[in-house]
Amino acid sequence: MKISQLFKDQAKFNDLFYEKGMTEKEKEEITKGLALALHSEVSSLVSGLNFKDHKTNRKPVDLNNVLYESVDVLRYLISILNLWEIPSESLVSAFADKDLFLNVEHRIGQNKWCGEPVVIVDVDDVLANFRSSFTSWLGSYYGVSVSEDSKEYYTTSEVKEAGLNPEEVFFKFIEERGFRSIEPCVEMLTVLKKLKMNGYWIHLLTARPSENLIVKYDTFYWVEKNRVPYDRLSFSPEKYRWITQSEYFDSGKIVCMIDDSPKHASEIAKHGIPVLVPSKTYNTEVHRKDNIHVFYHPSECLNYIEKKS
């Protein structure tokens, strides 16, 4: 039996109890009840195990209890998904996303920093050509044209002029899984490969909103799909604060940061950390600041880092 059939069978059973066309508030209340029932079934499953370590009179585990209580747990979970009209295909896709994330998290969690020189690297418009991919999507999805020479870091003016809400447009890009299909900057990936070969520790640091789980999982999907060489990956909207709280900061092992954002580059460079900034129309105001080193081709980053080290 396929998982899609499980969803159909559970939906038939749910139809005996729940009416069609419920409001969101009604669905929320029903979800609470289903969640409590699910919790009860999980408790029944555990009660059939020897989970109290202090007891010496261990009893044989009833595998049939484990099996049928697990079925009840699964049915309540599917009931919740059916209630919110989340199809089985979405569950399978989400399971794959979570599986990739957990395996990657375990792998990079085994990496222990041992005092290697550290290069902190931004993702969007350093490793991933976000701006060109996003503006191309804007054109195809909404018919909004954004000039490549725009001096705005966020392309909000054109979106507003089209009568759209920039925040809503960005979240639509997320929902459409736009972060998965961004083209990589191949030359910068080559730079990271050489840095890794030369013993540098690569920590990717992005300001993407990790509280949005699609963003979080699609970011890990993207770095794995494009075989990005790295040791760790973190999310933070306040990069300078993150850096000062990292294990690298007090050791003085940070060689530089590579970031295109004028905000982050200015803050980090102002506090003594060199920042390599790709030349973009939207970040020219930081080009002449101390500790800012503008580059026009990724290979210049490799030359700078090797000379500094």
Side-chain angles (χ1 to χ4, degrees):
M1 180 182 289
K2 295 182 179 180
I3 192 167
S4 58
Q5 188 60 50
L6 295 180
F7 270 63
K8 290 177 182 177
D9 291 346
Q10 187 61 41
K12 286 182 181 178
F13 183 73
N14 286 355
D15 287 344
L16 299 175
F17 306 95
Y18 306 132
E19 297 179 1
K20 300 291 185 180
M22 288 181 285
T23 66
E24 186 170 289
K25 185 176 181 180
E26 288 172 331
K27 289 181 180 180
E28 287 179 345
E29 290 301 316
I30 292 173
T31 301
K32 292 177 186 177
L34 290 172
L36 288 172
L38 189 156
H39 180 272
S40 175
E41 295 301 338
V42 171
S43 297
S44 296
L45 191 160
V46 174
S47 67
L49 306 176
N50 297 290
F51 66 94
K52 296 182 179 179
D53 294 335
H54 66 279
K55 288 195 172 184
T56 57
N57 57 330
R58 300 178 67 83
K59 60 184 179 181
V61 174
D62 185 345
L63 296 183
N64 287 322
N65 180 76
V66 173
L67 174 62
Y68 283 102
E69 293 297 348
S70 295
V71 169
D72 287 337
V73 168
L74 181 60
R75 289 180 70 102
Y76 280 118
L77 284 173
I78 293 176
S79 292
I80 292 172
L81 294 172
N82 277 338
L83 182 66
W84 292 97
E85 300 178 356
I86 299 174
S88 60
E89 296 83 4
S90 295
L91 175 62
V92 172
S93 177
F95 186 96
D97 291 342
K98 190 75 176 187
D99 186 63
L100 182 145
F101 167 74
L102 291 173
N103 279 281
V104 172
E105 185 181 47
H106 178 268
R107 188 193 75 220
I108 64 178
Q110 303 303 304
N111 295 341
K112 303 300 179 183
W113 180 63
C114 299
E116 300 95 329
V118 179
V119 178
I120 301 174
V121 185
D122 181 30
V123 175
D124 290 318
D125 290 311
V126 172
L127 299 178
N129 293 319
F130 169 78
R131 192 177 177 87
S132 60
S133 297
F134 180 68
T135 54
S136 175
W137 174 83
L138 274 176
S140 61
Y141 197 92
Y142 287 105
V144 176
S145 178
V146 177
S147 171
E148 293 184 5
D149 297 325
S150 172
K151 294 184 178 182
E152 288 188 359
Y153 182 66
Y154 298 105
T155 54
T156 57
S157 294
E158 295 88 350
V159 173
K160 286 182 176 179
E161 288 172 2
L164 301 168
N165 181 294
E167 196 74 7
E168 291 177 1
V169 168
F170 179 60
F171 281 110
K172 174 58 69 174
F173 177 78
I174 292 172
E175 290 176 6
E176 294 291 315
R177 313 308 288 262
F179 277 119
R180 286 187 173 230
S181 56
I182 297 173
E183 289 296 320
C185 178
V186 177
E187 296 88 351
M188 187 57 77
L189 296 187
T190 300
V191 169
L192 293 196
K193 288 177 184 176
K194 291 180 179 178
L195 288 175
K196 282 292 296 172
M197 289 174 59
N198 292 337
Y200 290 88
W201 180 269
I202 309 297
H203 198 128
L204 306 184
L205 179 60
T206 176
R208 291 180 180 182
S210 63
E211 65 275 9
N212 184 303
L213 295 182
I214 293 179
V215 172
K216 180 179 179 179
Y217 297 139
D218 281 0
T219 299
F220 278 92
Y221 173 89
W222 187 90
V223 296
E224 292 300 307
K225 170 189 172 184
N226 290 287
R227 299 182 179 181
V228 178
Y230 72 104
D231 295 289
R232 298 266 180 84
L233 169 60
S234 298
F235 299 78
S236 178
E238 296 298 332
K239 293 184 179 180
Y240 173 68
R241 183 183 302 171
W242 182 95
I243 288 173
T244 58
Q245 295 173 349
S246 72
E247 59 185 324
Y248 319 125
F249 186 71
D250 290 337
S251 69
K253 289 291 186 176
I254 300 177
V255 178
C256 66
M257 170 90 180
I258 306 176
D259 202 307
D260 70 304
S261 164
K263 173 186 181 294
H264 298 306
S266 294
E267 289 179 347
I268 295 166
K270 182 179 179 180
H271 291 87
I273 298 174
V275 184
L276 306 184
V277 177
S279 179
K280 305 286 186 180
T281 56
Y282 53 80
N283 63 22
T284 55
E285 69 268 27
V286 302
H287 286 193
R288 295 181 180 274
K289 293 187 177 182
D290 292 340
N291 279 329
I292 298 286
H293 305 272
V294 180
F295 66 89
Y296 299 89
H297 190 275
S299 61
E300 298 172 48
C301 295
L302 185 62
N303 295 334
Y304 172 87
I305 293 169
E306 289 182 339
K307 286 180 181 179
K308 186 172 177 61
S309 302

